[in-house]
Amino acid sequence: MWSAAEDAAWGRGVARELVHGNTAPVAGRLVGNGPEAWIAFDREVRRLQRFRGVSVDRLEARLCHPDGRVRASALAAWRNPPVQLVLIRCADWVPQVRERARRVLGRVLAHHPVRTRDRARRALNRPVADDPARLLTALTPLTLRLGEREHGDWAVEQLEAALSGRYSSLAAWWRPGLPSTTWSWNSLTPAQREGMLERLTGSADRPTRRFGAGVSLACGRYGARELARRAAVEHDPVTGRMWTDAALAALAARGPDEGAVDALLGSRFPAVRAAGVTALRRAGRAEEADRYLADRAGSVRACARWLLRQAGGDPYAHYRALVTDPGRVSRYAVTGFTEVAGREDVPLLRALLEHPGGPVRAAALAGLRRLGARVEAPVLLALLEDSSASAAREAALQLLPGAGRLDSAALADLTGPQWRPHTRRAAFRLLYGRGGSAELRASVALLDDPDPGTRRRARERVAGWNWLATLDEGEAARAELGELLARAARLLGAAELRLTHSPWSRPLRG
């Protein structure tokens, strides 16, 4: 699946090829692309015809012409224009073009299923039923993008009416001597509406997914359990919030539903789990709050503490029991404890720095920082060598404000290849914080580090380093600087190095 920018670039490319004489059908070139491709195609064709004086006698080009009269005449042609371009013209800034496009869209929708059915029947050699809902599903992303325009809300309203089963019709433009063809958006059967809403709510396009969820909720199609199930598996945060709010509203209106609450609690998304925790109270299950005091998400832990207090419990006592029990203490139990702890709990957190679990040590160290407790530099320096990456990272974070007072030689030794990658990263972060020649030495030494992230950061620092300013300020001996420069040029290439001088230049600092 392409990004919106890639779709737009492809649409502009197809427009340029059309203007330059490519006879391939535009619809075939843009099939499978997102709505941005069609919007970019429309704008690029119009721009080329307006500013370059190019005139192309193709229906697609005339539908995008800068002159509204040309666009209106292209819509009057009794041919089969790309339905996406007709839909774009439904939001045209010229009223006459806009109204005619809306009538033509009804005719295109009326005939499109027949043509599609006939092609599918020939290809599959079996009967195929008409299903205009699939075409409408494909047009929905473009419809929603056009809805942001001044005159684009019409198609969105028609689509909402069709999906909700309300009356909505598009009268096709009628030509004398030809039969009138009127296709009603209300012609969708309940099964077609159901299938279309399922496809919309499962779309990979997020605006489409949110639109489908909004229409489904407005129609009241689901009960609390189904709403909770959809909230639990929804990966789009906005849509997930919609399903979650609807599930909570349904639980409040219709009474507790154990299955719905369990579905919310089982979600891997924090906002949905937090809603499930709050729903425990109405379901009469407030005693389960302590299960979520050590949740990995802070919002869920906060809701669990609230629920526990509502039930007359004491979150602090529960947390202290967790962190003092070697068999139950965990990283998030310590994190939750620090959210309710005070200065009098500093000794307990210091004791947890000796815990065999690395994540627990890291959480205790972060808790000491949150409580404003000072940890001695030797202890933090020893934690740089910790087997846990999170503990080493937290130790470096606490040492960073005083990085200038640390022994640069000792830190440089920790960047050697014999140390773990996270130790090298932590030491490099502190040397980066020092700046000056210590940072330069470490950056050059790590240019070929086996860890991709450390190597990338080192190369970025060396590539942007002002070597002449370092030489002028005398931060490193000329001979040493020459050796560092030679190594950097060998590993990066001289063209990548910043060797020019400007009077305001200084070595880059952290």
Side-chain angles (χ1 to χ4, degrees):
M1 183 177 180
W2 288 9
S3 67
E6 291 172 326
D7 277 331
W10 180 259
R12 288 191 292 271
V14 173
R16 287 189 289 269
E17 293 178 8
L18 171 70
V19 170
H20 294 151
N22 191 321
T23 58
V26 171
R29 299 292 309 282
L30 295 180
V31 65
N33 291 94
E36 289 79 9
W38 286 99
I39 294 173
F41 172 85
D42 172 55
R43 290 174 175 169
E44 184 69 7
V45 171
R46 185 161 54 256
R47 185 187 70 84
L48 292 174
Q49 293 186 97
R50 174 181 294 160
F51 296 110
R52 297 193 178 181
V54 180
S55 179
V56 182
D57 191 23
R58 285 277 300 274
L59 179 62
E60 298 93 333
R62 293 173 61 204
L63 284 170
C64 306
H65 198 277
D67 190 334
R69 292 167 295 185
V70 177
R71 296 196 300 275
S73 66
L75 289 167
W78 196 253
R79 288 186 278 175
N80 298 316
V83 64
Q84 292 86 352
L85 293 180
V86 176
L87 182 59
I88 291 175
R89 296 281 70 82
C90 289
D92 201 278
W93 59 94
V94 178
Q96 294 83 350
V97 176
R98 191 164 62 242
E99 295 302 323
R100 178 169 288 182
R102 293 173 182 179
R103 294 194 298 270
V104 171
L105 181 62
R107 175 177 59 83
V108 174
L109 290 173
H111 286 278
H112 189 280
V114 176
R115 295 197 305 273
T116 305
R117 180 199 62 195
D118 292 342
R119 293 193 194 104
R121 181 181 296 165
R122 288 192 296 270
L124 301 176
N125 195 28
R126 60 179 176 83
V128 177
D130 293 344
D131 190 3
R134 292 195 175 272
L135 174 60
L136 295 179
T137 302
L139 292 176
T140 299
L142 180 58
T143 302
L144 297 177
R145 300 313 193 276
L146 296 174
E148 300 173 0
R149 298 185 178 183
E150 182 180 0
H151 303 289
D153 55 351
W154 173 84
V156 177
E157 292 171 358
Q158 297 294 318
L159 189 58
E160 289 176 343
L163 289 171
S164 62
R166 301 194 307 269
Y167 174 77
S168 173
S169 64
L170 281 171
W173 184 53
W174 180 75
R175 284 285 299 273
L178 293 174
S180 174
T181 55
T182 300
W183 187 86
S184 173
W185 294 56
N186 201 40
S187 300
L188 292 177
T189 66
Q192 287 175 329
R193 287 197 296 270
E194 183 79 18
M196 185 174 174
L197 282 172
E198 284 298 321
R199 289 191 293 273
L200 292 179
T201 55
S203 173
D205 182 62
R206 288 192 173 188
T208 301
R209 199 179 187 92
R210 296 165 188 173
F211 174 78
V215 174
S216 298
L217 294 175
C219 296
R221 301 175 64 234
Y222 304 121
R225 188 166 297 190
E226 177 62 17
L227 291 169
R229 185 195 68 80
R230 288 176 176 267
V233 300
E234 180 58 58
H235 57 79
D236 175 37
V238 176
T239 310
R241 184 76 260 177
M242 295 169 64
W243 294 122
T244 303
D245 292 344
L248 293 178
L251 288 172
R254 304 168 190 170
D257 186 317
E258 300 291 331
V261 175
D262 290 337
L264 294 174
L265 292 172
S267 174
R268 65 186 181 92
F269 300 102
V272 181
R273 287 201 309 279
V277 171
T278 59
L280 286 172
R281 184 188 183 195
R282 190 179 294 272
R285 296 163 56 183
E287 69 279 359
E288 300 178 24
D290 59 343
R291 299 182 187 178
Y292 304 96
L293 289 174
D295 193 274
R296 62 183 180 273
S299 59
V300 179
R301 294 194 299 270
C303 289
R305 290 194 294 269
W306 169 83
L307 181 60
L308 194 60
R309 292 189 186 100
Q310 295 296 312
D314 182 8
Y316 176 82
H318 281 77
Y319 273 124
R320 191 170 182 89
L322 283 175
V323 300
T324 55
D325 185 348
R328 300 168 62 198
V329 64
S330 65
R331 171 184 180 180
Y332 296 110
V334 175
T335 302
F337 175 64
T338 62
E339 292 168 348
V340 298
R343 294 282 299 182
E344 65 276 7
D345 298 301
V346 167
L348 176 55
L349 292 174
R350 287 187 184 275
L352 288 174
L353 294 179
E354 305 298 328
H355 192 275
V360 173
R361 295 195 298 274
L365 193 56
L368 290 170
R369 174 170 54 86
R370 184 179 294 112
L371 294 176
R374 181 179 177 274
V375 182
E376 295 74 13
V379 176
L380 294 173
L381 287 170
L383 285 170
L384 293 179
E385 307 172 19
D386 197 280
S387 59
S388 169
S390 56
R393 183 168 56 250
E394 181 62 34
L397 181 63
Q398 297 196 28
L399 285 168
L400 194 57
R405 298 187 297 270
L406 300 177
D407 183 0
S408 61
L411 292 175
D413 179 66
L414 292 177
T415 62
Q418 69 275 19
W419 296 101
R420 299 181 180 91
H422 63 260
T423 297
R424 298 199 302 272
R425 286 195 297 269
F428 183 40
R429 184 177 187 180
L430 293 172
L431 289 167
Y432 175 94
R434 285 180 61 93
S437 59
E439 178 191 357
L440 176 60
R441 294 186 191 99
S443 299
V444 174
L446 294 171
L447 284 175
D448 56 353
D449 190 89
D451 178 59
T454 304
R455 185 171 63 248
R456 186 190 73 251
R457 283 187 287 271
R459 288 174 176 252
E460 289 174 354
R461 298 305 296 170
V462 173
W465 195 269
N466 192 326
W467 296 81
L468 293 178
T470 304
L471 179 63
D472 291 345
E473 295 183 358
E475 292 197 22
R478 184 182 295 268
E480 180 191 13
L481 196 61
E483 293 175 0
L484 295 174
L485 180 59
R487 173 177 167 80
R490 185 174 69 255
L491 294 176
L492 282 184
E496 298 293 327
L497 301 179
R498 181 184 175 191
L499 300 177
T500 58
H501 177 77
S502 59
W504 55 84
S505 297
R506 290 293 183 270
L508 296 177
R509 304 187 67 84

